[in-house]
């Protein structure tokens, strides 16, 4: 193996487990083992194999009894564990400060599998009424219909209501999002975890909107789920997800005969895992810039008299709470909303921002390097009726912006101003 063998030996001698730390996620990421390539390449090799061979027939038996497994570098089949997907999963576990993690083919796969695993014999879920549309539909329509898992939706800012909804012995999961779409309310994770744990209920938090910014597991959550499709990918080119939690949960989900991930099979491809693992090291830098620009733009938009929703602004009802929970130095999230009051004005603002000044693009999703804009009431929250939208604080003219970092901040701001001035000139905004 020539000159690289020393390097590879060094790699083998470093513990693969991330050190579960209460420090900054970037510090935790710095402790994950650097995986070198098969020939000493500075990037890991991609283990693009569906199946794995053994030297002796006896080894195969040991693999199926669990005597040998991925922790000793023995693999069976890539729907079970794949070495490249495991390497990415270790990075995600470090990012979220959990003992283990495993990556899936989508965020919805991660969410549905973990709910099925924890509620394995049917059961009750209490969930936030402000959830991603897909998760809301899964809990309100799909799970009750196919497997007797029922959900009560509550306003998780009302802790008394949460307490009442959780039924000791019956409720298995409290499900919520760390920062909600599109009105950017923030959940009091430590307090909600205390309430749930008192009743023996597990807390699952979707942290898709706030990687690096919030660490729900450090604040008490049992499980953290992600749509890696958004900020963690950052390229808007991949659909992927992850479940982060105790090693016992991950191994139960991978159980050959009982595991939700093993048996439902929402498997991540090794090539996708490699792609994503290359993007984790600059996630912190990207989040810092997304958050910085969102704060600057929100502040300036407010000064211009626009109705802005951004949890980094002191006037946002959850600003103090977010500040008390957030990891330092990243900011308050990369998404802001502007309330244009009517759909017509919202559409015209987005039209000009995209087609006249190139400030951003009309598209759903988030975490891309360009700014993405959508009118929530008629897009990602369109499955809600008028009453539900009103309750969730979604006006017809609410424009959600996932602030990008392409171009310079001042260049992008002048594109925003120019579009707004045009609107004012044409009498669309006064
Ligand atoms: C996008 C999203 C999901 C679903 O993730 P996919 O990767 O599209 O399956 C779940 N939760 C939140 C908060 C999201 O934004």
């Amino acid at each position: 193996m020539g000159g690289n063998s020393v390097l590879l030996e060094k790699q083998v001698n470093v513990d693969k487990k991330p050190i579960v730390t209460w420090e900054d996620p970037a510090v935790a990421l710095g402790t994950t083992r650097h995986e070198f390539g098969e020939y000493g390449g500075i990037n890991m090799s991609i283990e693009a194999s569906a199946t794995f061979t053994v030297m002796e027939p006896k080894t195969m038996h040991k693999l199926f009894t669990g005597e040998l497994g991925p922790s000793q570098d023995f693999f069976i089949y890539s729907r079970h564990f794949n070495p490249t997907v495991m390497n990415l999963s270790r990075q995600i576990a470090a990012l979220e400060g959990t003992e283990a993690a495993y990556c899936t083919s989508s965020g919805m796969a991660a969410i549905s599998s973990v709910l099925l695993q924890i509620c394995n014999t049917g059961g009750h879920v209490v969930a936030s009424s402000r959830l991603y549309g897909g998760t809301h539909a899964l809990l309100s329509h799909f799970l009750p219909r196919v497997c007797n898992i029922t959900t009560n939706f509550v306003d998780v800012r009302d802790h008394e209501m949460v307490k009442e909804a959780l039924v000791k012995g019956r409720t298995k999961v409290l499900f919520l999002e760390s920062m909600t779409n599109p009105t950017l309310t923030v959940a009091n994770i430590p307090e909600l975890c205390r309430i749930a744990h008192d009743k023996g209920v597990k807390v699952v938090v979707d942290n898709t909107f706030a990687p690096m910014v919030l660490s729900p597991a450090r604040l008490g959550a049992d499980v953290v789920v992600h749509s890696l499709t958004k900020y963690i990918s950052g390229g808007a080119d991949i659909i992927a997800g992850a479940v982060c939690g105790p090693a016992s949960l991950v191994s139960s989900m991978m159980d050959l005969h009982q595991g939700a991930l093993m048996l439902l099979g929402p498997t991540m491809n090794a090539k996708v895992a490699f792609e994503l693992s290359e993007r984790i090291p600059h996630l912190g830098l990207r989040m810092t810039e997304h958050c910085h620009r969102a704060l600057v733009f929100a502040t300036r938009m407010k000064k211009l008299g626009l109705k802005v929703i951004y949890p980094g602004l002191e006037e946002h009802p959850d600003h103090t709470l977010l500040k008390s929970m957030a990891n330092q130095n990243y900011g308050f999230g990369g998404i802001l909303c502007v309330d244009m009051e009517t759909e017509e004005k919202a559409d015209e603002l987005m039209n000009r921002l995209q087609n006249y000044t190139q400030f951003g693009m009309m598209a759903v999703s988030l975490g891309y390097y360009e700014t993405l804009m959508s009118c929530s009431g008629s897009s990602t929250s369109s499955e809600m009726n008028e009453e539900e939208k009103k309750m969730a604080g979604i006006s017809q003219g609410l424009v959600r912006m996932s602030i990008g970092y392409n171009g310079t901040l001042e260049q992008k701001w002048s594109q925003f101003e120019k579009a707004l001035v045009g609107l004012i000139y044409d009498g669309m905004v006064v």
Side-chain angles (χ1 to χ4, degrees):
M1 211 175 277
N4 294 331
S5 59
V6 175
L7 197 66
L8 293 171
E9 257 170 50
K10 201 170 123 199
Q11 166 174 313
V12 169
N13 289 331
V14 179
D15 193 357
K16 280 189 178 181
K17 277 207 190 107
I19 300 159
V20 176
T21 152
W22 290 80
E23 288 176 277
D24 185 287
V27 175
L29 280 169
T31 68
T32 49
R33 187 174 96 151
H34 187 102
E35 299 291 335
F36 295 98
E38 198 181 347
Y39 298 96
I42 55 167
N43 289 317
M44 66 178 164
S45 304
I46 305 174
E47 196 70 27
S49 293
T51 188
F52 298 81
T53 184
V54 292
M55 297 298 283
E56 291 158 29
K58 285 248 173 336
T59 310
M60 187 75 88
H61 299 297
K62 288 181 182 166
L63 282 172
F64 278 86
T65 59
E67 209 177 312
L68 289 177
S71 55
Q72 300 111 315
D73 282 333
F74 283 91
F75 295 87
I76 307 173
Y77 186 64
S78 279
R79 175 159 42 78
H80 187 232
F81 284 105
N82 170 281
T84 316
V85 180
M86 273 190 86
N87 289 341
L88 171 67
S89 302
R90 273 196 295 275
Q91 286 175 293
I92 303 285
L95 166 70
E96 285 301 344
T98 57
E99 202 180 2
Y102 210 66
C103 296
T104 57
S105 56
S106 71
M108 284 313 298
I111 292 166
S112 53
S113 305
V114 83
L115 287 171
L116 287 169
Q117 190 70 32
I118 300 177
C119 304
N120 58 1
T121 53
H124 182 239
V125 175
V126 172
S128 166
S129 50
R130 298 185 180 204
L131 286 180
Y132 175 71
T135 313
H136 197 276
L138 175 77
L139 289 166
S140 58
H141 305 305
F142 191 86
L143 290 180
R145 180 165 55 81
V146 299
C147 49
N148 204 27
I149 296 171
T150 55
T151 298
N152 275 49
F153 293 96
V154 295
D155 182 345
V156 295
R157 290 169 306 174
D158 184 342
H159 294 171
E160 282 311 309
M161 199 171 157
V162 176
K163 245 180 241 172
E164 259 171 52
L166 297 170
V167 186
K168 205 169 186 165
R170 190 165 90 88
T171 310
K172 303 262 173 69
V173 173
L174 172 64
F175 188 96
L176 50 114
E177 293 174 5
S178 54
M179 200 181 271
T180 68
N181 179 32
T183 48
L184 310 171
T185 54
V186 180
N188 187 335
I189 299 170
E191 189 52 32
L192 289 165
C193 288
R194 261 192 295 279
I195 293 168
H197 291 159
D198 254 5
K199 302 227 182 165
V201 174
K202 293 234 178 326
V203 180
V204 180
V205 179
D206 182 336
N207 199 31
T208 301
F209 270 47
M212 307 300 291
V213 174
L214 287 168
S215 299
R218 295 192 180 97
L219 299 167
D222 301 281
V223 182
V224 181
V225 289
H226 267 288
S227 167
L228 305 181
T229 313
K230 316 291 169 53
Y231 282 113
I232 294 178
S233 156
D237 56 342
I238 287 172
I239 300 280
V243 178
C244 317
S248 58
L249 173 76
V250 172
S251 59
S252 78
M253 293 185 82
M254 280 302 175
D255 185 277
L256 293 176
H257 308 293
Q258 305 285 346
L261 283 179
M262 181 60 192
L263 299 176
L264 298 173
T267 310
M268 178 181 278
N269 185 301
K271 294 166 194 166
V272 167
F274 175 82
E275 280 274 340
L276 289 172
S277 80
E278 292 288 288
R279 303 175 192 191
I280 306 283
H282 47 70
L283 175 65
L285 295 174
R286 288 187 278 120
M287 286 313 293
T288 305
E289 192 60 17
H290 282 299
C291 296
H292 169 61
R293 292 194 184 196
L295 178 61
V296 172
F297 291 173
T299 308
R300 292 184 186 180
M301 286 173 190
K302 197 188 128 194
K303 264 204 193 122
L304 291 177
L306 290 171
K307 248 170 100 181
V308 190
I309 304 173
Y310 181 65
L313 295 178
E314 273 172 29
E315 74 207 34
H316 188 283
D318 298 330
H319 177 71
T320 314
L321 172 64
L322 176 56
K323 222 170 156 179
S324 74
M325 296 191 300
N327 295 314
Q328 287 201 346
N329 305 325
Y330 295 103
F332 303 103
I335 296 164
L336 63 84
C337 291
V338 184
D339 190 350
M340 297 299 289
E341 275 153 10
T342 67
E343 198 173 331
E344 191 196 3
K345 285 183 193 172
D347 286 350
E348 196 47 37
L349 177 68
M350 289 194 295
N351 179 37
R352 292 178 190 224
L353 287 172
Q354 173 177 287
N355 299 321
Y356 297 12
T357 71
Q358 278 90 48
F359 173 78
M361 302 174 186
M362 283 183 267
V364 296
S365 200
L366 47 125
Y368 191 44
Y369 56 79
E370 297 280 6
T371 294
L372 300 181
M373 312 174 289
S374 56
C375 185
S376 300
S378 50
S379 62
T380 52
S381 299
S382 58
E383 78 284 357
M384 292 175 149
N385 62 35
E386 291 311 312
E387 190 63 25
E388 286 171 323
K389 276 186 220 171
K390 212 167 161 192
M391 292 243 299
I394 305 169
S395 102
Q396 281 305 328
L398 201 71
V399 179
R400 183 184 79 184
M401 297 183 184
S402 164
I403 301 298
Y405 50 78
N406 199 23
T408 70
L409 189 154
E410 294 307 337
Q411 171 194 28
K412 287 284 146 187
W413 177 248
S414 71
Q415 290 172 337
F416 183 86
E417 266 189 326
K418 207 166 141 196
L420 190 72
V421 167
L423 270 187
I424 294 168
Y425 190 79
D426 293 343
M428 294 286 296
V429 184
V430 278

